[in-house]
Amino acid sequence: MLSAVMEDYIKAIYAIGGDGEERVSTSELADYLDVTSPTVSSMVKKLEERGLVDREEYKGVTLTEEGELVALEILRHHRLLEAFLTEQLDYDWADVHDEADRLEHHVSDELTDRIAEALGNPPVDPHGDPIPDADLSLPDAGETTRLAEAGEGERVVVRRIRHQGDEELRYLADAGIRPDIEVRVIDVAPFGMVTVETPGGEQSLPEEIARLIEVVPAAEADGVEA
């Protein structure tokens, strides 16, 4: 059995490393988890001893195959809980992350499977993040780009909002930007602001926020809200 803290580290390595594909430094983990570097080093050593991470001095850590399976299991719990809270308990999509964080360590695989069945086995959570299936395989998400990279005049549909913190999610929710919404890029300023037209009006987003938003061309999207 892994502790909740260990699971948090595994999930963090997966998230920071681009879904587990890149090595993650001690300082990146420390910043992400709001802990000290010595604390990170101590926990990484424990995870390495359990065969869950591969650590290379001065290059950081990455998840082993076993570690990645643990990460996917945690994400299945977390993302299905977010979907359940949103769809069944009327939580706002921007407010479910912390609640799911608290619950993800305490739900069984059986309960998770029942939640998935009750929801119709959704492929994504309320933020557009892919939900691993019961075999811990991720659905094909297709190709996306970041909103910050879209050109002026381009119409795009939001597919995924990469979670960085509840403040960012609330900022986007207040701006009327969420998965499945179509927006038109009005202006890309040289100093880092991206202005878009949403169903609720114009919104100017800092580039660092626009980079959290994954989009596809509107012509390629089906069944979206205009």
Side-chain angles (χ1 to χ4, degrees), residues 130-155:
I131 300 176
D133 63 19
D135 295 325
L136 302 182
S137 297
L138 287 168
D140 183 10
E143 293 293 327
T144 61
T145 59
R146 300 301 172 105
L147 179 60
E149 299 166 359
E152 293 181 8
E154 191 173 350
R155 289 187 176 275

PDB file of all heavy atoms in Angstrom, residues 130-155:
ATOM      1  N   PRO A 130      -8.160  13.323 -20.264  1.00  0.00           N
ATOM      2  CA  PRO A 130      -8.591  11.955 -20.585  1.00  0.00           C
ATOM      3  C   PRO A 130      -8.660  11.078 -19.338  1.00  0.00           C
ATOM      4  O   PRO A 130      -7.801  11.167 -18.460  1.00  0.00           O
ATOM      5  CB  PRO A 130      -7.517  11.462 -21.557  1.00  0.00           C
ATOM      6  CG  PRO A 130      -6.309  12.298 -21.255  1.00  0.00           C
ATOM      7  CD  PRO A 130      -6.847  13.641 -20.860  1.00  0.00           C
ATOM      8  N   ILE A 131      -9.672  10.239 -19.268  1.00  0.00           N
ATOM      9  CA  ILE A 131      -9.864   9.340 -18.137  1.00  0.00           C
ATOM     10  C   ILE A 131      -9.402   7.942 -18.531  1.00  0.00           C
ATOM     11  O   ILE A 131      -9.955   7.351 -19.469  1.00  0.00           O
ATOM     12  CB  ILE A 131     -11.342   9.295 -17.704  1.00  0.00           C
ATOM     13  CG1 ILE A 131     -11.817  10.689 -17.291  1.00  0.00           C
ATOM     14  CG2 ILE A 131     -11.524   8.301 -16.554  1.00  0.00           C
ATOM     15  CD1 ILE A 131     -13.301  10.746 -16.950  1.00  0.00           C
ATOM     16  N   PRO A 132      -8.417   7.381 -17.837  1.00  0.00           N
ATOM     17  CA  PRO A 132      -8.009   5.997 -18.137  1.00  0.00           C
ATOM     18  C   PRO A 132      -9.185   5.048 -17.937  1.00  0.00           C
ATOM     19  O   PRO A 132      -9.989   5.227 -17.021  1.00  0.00           O
ATOM     20  CB  PRO A 132      -6.893   5.730 -17.113  1.00  0.00           C
ATOM     21  CG  PRO A 132      -6.384   7.091 -16.718  1.00  0.00           C
ATOM     22  CD  PRO A 132      -7.592   7.986 -16.772  1.00  0.00           C
ATOM     23  N   ASP A 133      -9.276   4.031 -18.804  1.00  0.00           N
ATOM     24  CA  ASP A 133     -10.354   3.065 -18.642  1.00  0.00           C
ATOM     25  C   ASP A 133      -9.986   2.041 -17.571  1.00  0.00           C
ATOM     26  O   ASP A 133      -8.961   2.170 -16.895  1.00  0.00           O
ATOM     27  CB  ASP A 133     -10.694   2.398 -19.978  1.00  0.00           C
ATOM     28  CG  ASP A 133      -9.530   1.583 -20.555  1.00  0.00           C
ATOM     29  OD1 ASP A 133      -8.598   1.216 -19.815  1.00  0.00           O
ATOM     30  OD2 ASP A 133      -9.565   1.295 -21.770  1.00  0.00           O
ATOM     31  N   ALA A 134     -10.818   1.021 -17.412  1.00  0.00           N
ATOM     32  CA  ALA A 134     -10.595   0.026 -16.360  1.00  0.00           C
ATOM     33  C   ALA A 134      -9.288  -0.729 -16.544  1.00  0.00           C
ATOM     34  O   ALA A 134      -8.726  -1.252 -15.580  1.00  0.00           O
ATOM     35  CB  ALA A 134     -11.771  -0.951 -16.312  1.00  0.00           C
ATOM     36  N   ASP A 135      -8.782  -0.782 -17.773  1.00  0.00           N
ATOM     37  CA  ASP A 135      -7.486  -1.422 -18.051  1.00  0.00           C
ATOM     38  C   ASP A 135      -6.333  -0.438 -17.963  1.00  0.00           C
ATOM     39  O   ASP A 135      -5.198  -0.767 -18.313  1.00  0.00           O
ATOM     40  CB  ASP A 135      -7.505  -2.063 -19.447  1.00  0.00           C
ATOM     41  CG  ASP A 135      -8.511  -3.206 -19.545  1.00  0.00           C
ATOM     42  OD1 ASP A 135      -8.674  -3.923 -18.541  1.00  0.00           O
ATOM     43  OD2 ASP A 135      -9.138  -3.355 -20.609  1.00  0.00           O
ATOM     44  N   LEU A 136      -6.648   0.793 -17.546  1.00  0.00           N
ATOM     45  CA  LEU A 136      -5.672   1.882 -17.396  1.00  0.00           C
ATOM     46  C   LEU A 136      -5.079   2.329 -18.730  1.00  0.00           C
ATOM     47  O   LEU A 136      -3.954   2.812 -18.800  1.00  0.00           O
ATOM     48  CB  LEU A 136      -4.553   1.498 -16.410  1.00  0.00           C
ATOM     49  CG  LEU A 136      -5.033   1.127 -14.996  1.00  0.00           C
ATOM     50  CD1 LEU A 136      -3.850   0.816 -14.084  1.00  0.00           C
ATOM     51  CD2 LEU A 136      -5.879   2.256 -14.406  1.00  0.00           C
ATOM     52  N   SER A 137      -5.863   2.161 -19.779  1.00  0.00           N
ATOM     53  CA  SER A 137      -5.483   2.684 -21.091  1.00  0.00           C
ATOM     54  C   SER A 137      -6.156   4.038 -21.298  1.00  0.00           C
ATOM     55  O   SER A 137      -7.326   4.211 -20.930  1.00  0.00           O
ATOM     56  CB  SER A 137      -5.918   1.735 -22.215  1.00  0.00           C
ATOM     57  OG  SER A 137      -5.244   0.492 -22.093  1.00  0.00           O
ATOM     58  N   LEU A 138      -5.420   4.979 -21.879  1.00  0.00           N
ATOM     59  CA  LEU A 138      -5.979   6.298 -22.124  1.00  0.00           C
ATOM     60  C   LEU A 138      -6.687   6.332 -23.467  1.00  0.00           C
ATOM     61  O   LEU A 138      -6.217   5.752 -24.444  1.00  0.00           O
ATOM     62  CB  LEU A 138      -4.869   7.351 -22.116  1.00  0.00           C
ATOM     63  CG  LEU A 138      -4.283   7.707 -20.755  1.00  0.00           C
ATOM     64  CD1 LEU A 138      -3.013   8.541 -20.926  1.00  0.00           C
ATOM     65  CD2 LEU A 138      -5.300   8.473 -19.914  1.00  0.00           C
ATOM     66  N   PRO A 139      -7.828   7.024 -23.548  1.00  0.00           N
ATOM     67  CA  PRO A 139      -8.502   7.165 -24.841  1.00  0.00           C
ATOM     68  C   PRO A 139      -7.669   8.032 -25.770  1.00  0.00           C
ATOM     69  O   PRO A 139      -6.871   8.852 -25.320  1.00  0.00           O
ATOM     70  CB  PRO A 139      -9.828   7.852 -24.473  1.00  0.00           C
ATOM     71  CG  PRO A 139      -9.520   8.598 -23.214  1.00  0.00           C
ATOM     72  CD  PRO A 139      -8.533   7.740 -22.467  1.00  0.00           C
ATOM     73  N   ASP A 140      -7.860   7.850 -27.063  1.00  0.00           N
ATOM     74  CA  ASP A 140      -7.151   8.666 -28.042  1.00  0.00           C
ATOM     75  C   ASP A 140      -7.717  10.077 -28.009  1.00  0.00           C
ATOM     76  O   ASP A 140      -8.877  10.309 -28.349  1.00  0.00           O
ATOM     77  CB  ASP A 140      -7.321   8.065 -29.439  1.00  0.00           C
ATOM     78  CG  ASP A 140      -6.554   8.831 -30.501  1.00  0.00           C
ATOM     79  OD1 ASP A 140      -5.748   9.709 -30.130  1.00  0.00           O
ATOM     80  OD2 ASP A 140      -6.759   8.560 -31.703  1.00  0.00           O
ATOM     81  N   ALA A 141      -6.885  11.015 -27.582  1.00  0.00           N
ATOM     82  CA  ALA A 141      -7.357  12.390 -27.424  1.00  0.00           C
ATOM     83  C   ALA A 141      -7.280  13.184 -28.721  1.00  0.00           C
ATOM     84  O   ALA A 141      -7.870  14.263 -28.832  1.00  0.00           O
ATOM     85  CB  ALA A 141      -6.551  13.093 -26.339  1.00  0.00           C
ATOM     86  N   GLY A 142      -6.559  12.689 -29.720  1.00  0.00           N
ATOM     87  CA  GLY A 142      -6.411  13.427 -30.959  1.00  0.00           C
ATOM     88  C   GLY A 142      -5.401  14.550 -30.822  1.00  0.00           C
ATOM     89  O   GLY A 142      -4.908  14.854 -29.732  1.00  0.00           O
ATOM     90  N   GLU A 143      -5.107  15.192 -31.934  1.00  0.00           N
ATOM     91  CA  GLU A 143      -4.113  16.261 -31.949  1.00  0.00           C
ATOM     92  C   GLU A 143      -4.745  17.583 -31.511  1.00  0.00           C
ATOM     93  O   GLU A 143      -5.834  17.950 -31.958  1.00  0.00           O
ATOM     94  CB  GLU A 143      -3.527  16.414 -33.353  1.00  0.00           C
ATOM     95  CG  GLU A 143      -2.682  15.225 -33.807  1.00  0.00           C
ATOM     96  CD  GLU A 143      -1.401  15.076 -32.996  1.00  0.00           C
ATOM     97  OE1 GLU A 143      -0.859  16.113 -32.567  1.00  0.00           O
ATOM     98  OE2 GLU A 143      -0.965  13.937 -32.791  1.00  0.00           O
ATOM     99  N   THR A 144      -4.051  18.294 -30.631  1.00  0.00           N
ATOM    100  CA  THR A 144      -4.492  19.618 -30.203  1.00  0.00           C
ATOM    101  C   THR A 144      -3.318  20.585 -30.254  1.00  0.00           C
ATOM    102  O   THR A 144      -2.163  20.167 -30.325  1.00  0.00           O
ATOM    103  CB  THR A 144      -5.045  19.604 -28.766  1.00  0.00           C
ATOM    104  OG1 THR A 144      -3.998  19.179 -27.853  1.00  0.00           O
ATOM    105  CG2 THR A 144      -6.242  18.682 -28.633  1.00  0.00           C
ATOM    106  N   THR A 145      -3.638  21.869 -30.224  1.00  0.00           N
ATOM    107  CA  THR A 145      -2.620  22.898 -30.070  1.00  0.00           C
ATOM    108  C   THR A 145      -3.017  23.771 -28.900  1.00  0.00           C
ATOM    109  O   THR A 145      -4.141  23.670 -28.386  1.00  0.00           O
ATOM    110  CB  THR A 145      -2.481  23.764 -31.341  1.00  0.00           C
ATOM    111  OG1 THR A 145      -3.755  24.381 -31.624  1.00  0.00           O
ATOM    112  CG2 THR A 145      -2.049  22.921 -32.527  1.00  0.00           C
ATOM    113  N   ARG A 146      -2.121  24.654 -28.483  1.00  0.00           N
ATOM    114  CA  ARG A 146      -2.434  25.568 -27.390  1.00  0.00           C
ATOM    115  C   ARG A 146      -3.072  26.846 -27.943  1.00  0.00           C
ATOM    116  O   ARG A 146      -2.691  27.321 -29.022  1.00  0.00           O
ATOM    117  CB  ARG A 146      -1.162  25.900 -26.607  1.00  0.00           C
ATOM    118  CG  ARG A 146      -0.465  24.678 -25.986  1.00  0.00           C
ATOM    119  CD  ARG A 146      -1.363  23.914 -25.033  1.00  0.00           C
ATOM    120  NE  ARG A 146      -0.767  22.673 -24.588  1.00  0.00           N
ATOM    121  CZ  ARG A 146      -0.245  22.497 -23.367  1.00  0.00           C
ATOM    122  NH1 ARG A 146      -0.246  23.482 -22.493  1.00  0.00           N
ATOM    123  NH2 ARG A 146       0.261  21.323 -23.029  1.00  0.00           N
ATOM    124  N   LEU A 147      -4.008  27.400 -27.212  1.00  0.00           N
ATOM    125  CA  LEU A 147      -4.680  28.623 -27.636  1.00  0.00           C
ATOM    126  C   LEU A 147      -3.676  29.739 -27.890  1.00  0.00           C
ATOM    127  O   LEU A 147      -3.866  30.557 -28.795  1.00  0.00           O
ATOM    128  CB  LEU A 147      -5.700  29.061 -26.578  1.00  0.00           C
ATOM    129  CG  LEU A 147      -6.472  30.346 -26.881  1.00  0.00           C
ATOM    130  CD1 LEU A 147      -7.275  30.210 -28.171  1.00  0.00           C
ATOM    131  CD2 LEU A 147      -7.387  30.705 -25.714  1.00  0.00           C
ATOM    132  N   ALA A 148      -2.599  29.760 -27.121  1.00  0.00           N
ATOM    133  CA  ALA A 148      -1.580  30.806 -27.290  1.00  0.00           C
ATOM    134  C   ALA A 148      -0.921  30.746 -28.667  1.00  0.00           C
ATOM    135  O   ALA A 148      -0.307  31.723 -29.101  1.00  0.00           O
ATOM    136  CB  ALA A 148      -0.526  30.685 -26.195  1.00  0.00           C
ATOM    137  N   GLU A 149      -1.036  29.600 -29.351  1.00  0.00           N
ATOM    138  CA  GLU A 149      -0.400  29.430 -30.653  1.00  0.00           C
ATOM    139  C   GLU A 149      -1.358  29.661 -31.814  1.00  0.00           C
ATOM    140  O   GLU A 149      -0.960  29.583 -32.982  1.00  0.00           O
ATOM    141  CB  GLU A 149       0.199  28.019 -30.748  1.00  0.00           C
ATOM    142  CG  GLU A 149       1.260  27.750 -29.685  1.00  0.00           C
ATOM    143  CD  GLU A 149       1.612  26.279 -29.567  1.00  0.00           C
ATOM    144  OE1 GLU A 149       1.010  25.466 -30.307  1.00  0.00           O
ATOM    145  OE2 GLU A 149       2.463  25.947 -28.727  1.00  0.00           O
ATOM    146  N   ALA A 150      -2.627  29.936 -31.520  1.00  0.00           N
ATOM    147  CA  ALA A 150      -3.624  30.154 -32.577  1.00  0.00           C
ATOM    148  C   ALA A 150      -3.414  31.522 -33.215  1.00  0.00           C
ATOM    149  O   ALA A 150      -2.917  32.462 -32.579  1.00  0.00           O
ATOM    150  CB  ALA A 150      -5.028  30.045 -32.005  1.00  0.00           C
ATOM    151  N   GLY A 151      -3.790  31.637 -34.494  1.00  0.00           N
ATOM    152  CA  GLY A 151      -3.630  32.897 -35.213  1.00  0.00           C
ATOM    153  C   GLY A 151      -4.857  33.782 -35.112  1.00  0.00           C
ATOM    154  O   GLY A 151      -5.963  33.323 -34.818  1.00  0.00           O
ATOM    155  N   GLU A 152      -4.658  35.074 -35.358  1.00  0.00           N
ATOM    156  CA  GLU A 152      -5.764  36.027 -35.327  1.00  0.00           C
ATOM    157  C   GLU A 152      -6.828  35.646 -36.359  1.00  0.00           C
ATOM    158  O   GLU A 152      -6.513  35.287 -37.486  1.00  0.00           O
ATOM    159  CB  GLU A 152      -5.244  37.438 -35.601  1.00  0.00           C
ATOM    160  CG  GLU A 152      -4.350  37.968 -34.487  1.00  0.00           C
ATOM    161  CD  GLU A 152      -3.865  39.375 -34.764  1.00  0.00           C
ATOM    162  OE1 GLU A 152      -4.347  39.986 -35.735  1.00  0.00           O
ATOM    163  OE2 GLU A 152      -3.000  39.861 -34.010  1.00  0.00           O
ATOM    164  N   GLY A 153      -8.085  35.706 -35.944  1.00  0.00           N
ATOM    165  CA  GLY A 153      -9.196  35.357 -36.808  1.00  0.00           C
ATOM    166  C   GLY A 153      -9.562  33.884 -36.793  1.00  0.00           C
ATOM    167  O   GLY A 153     -10.605  33.494 -37.325  1.00  0.00           O
ATOM    168  N   GLU A 154      -8.740  33.075 -36.175  1.00  0.00           N
ATOM    169  CA  GLU A 154      -8.990  31.625 -36.164  1.00  0.00           C
ATOM    170  C   GLU A 154     -10.102  31.269 -35.176  1.00  0.00           C
ATOM    171  O   GLU A 154     -10.145  31.785 -34.060  1.00  0.00           O
ATOM    172  CB  GLU A 154      -7.702  30.893 -35.799  1.00  0.00           C
ATOM    173  CG  GLU A 154      -7.765  29.392 -36.001  1.00  0.00           C
ATOM    174  CD  GLU A 154      -6.415  28.720 -35.796  1.00  0.00           C
ATOM    175  OE1 GLU A 154      -5.396  29.427 -35.682  1.00  0.00           O
ATOM    176  OE2 GLU A 154      -6.391  27.481 -35.747  1.00  0.00           O
ATOM    177  N   ARG A 155     -10.994  30.389 -35.622  1.00  0.00           N
ATOM    178  CA  ARG A 155     -12.042  29.864 -34.731  1.00  0.00           C
ATOM    179  C   ARG A 155     -11.606  28.487 -34.232  1.00  0.00           C
ATOM    180  O   ARG A 155     -11.263  27.620 -35.029  1.00  0.00           O
ATOM    181  CB  ARG A 155     -13.385  29.757 -35.456  1.00  0.00           C
ATOM    182  CG  ARG A 155     -14.024  31.099 -35.744  1.00  0.00           C
ATOM    183  CD  ARG A 155     -15.428  30.945 -36.312  1.00  0.00           C
ATOM    184  NE  ARG A 155     -16.081  32.228 -36.492  1.00  0.00           N
ATOM    185  CZ  ARG A 155     -16.745  32.872 -35.533  1.00  0.00           C
ATOM    186  NH1 ARG A 155     -16.874  32.320 -34.328  1.00  0.00           N
ATOM    187  NH2 ARG A 155     -17.291  34.033 -35.764  1.00  0.00           N
TER     188      ARG A 155
END
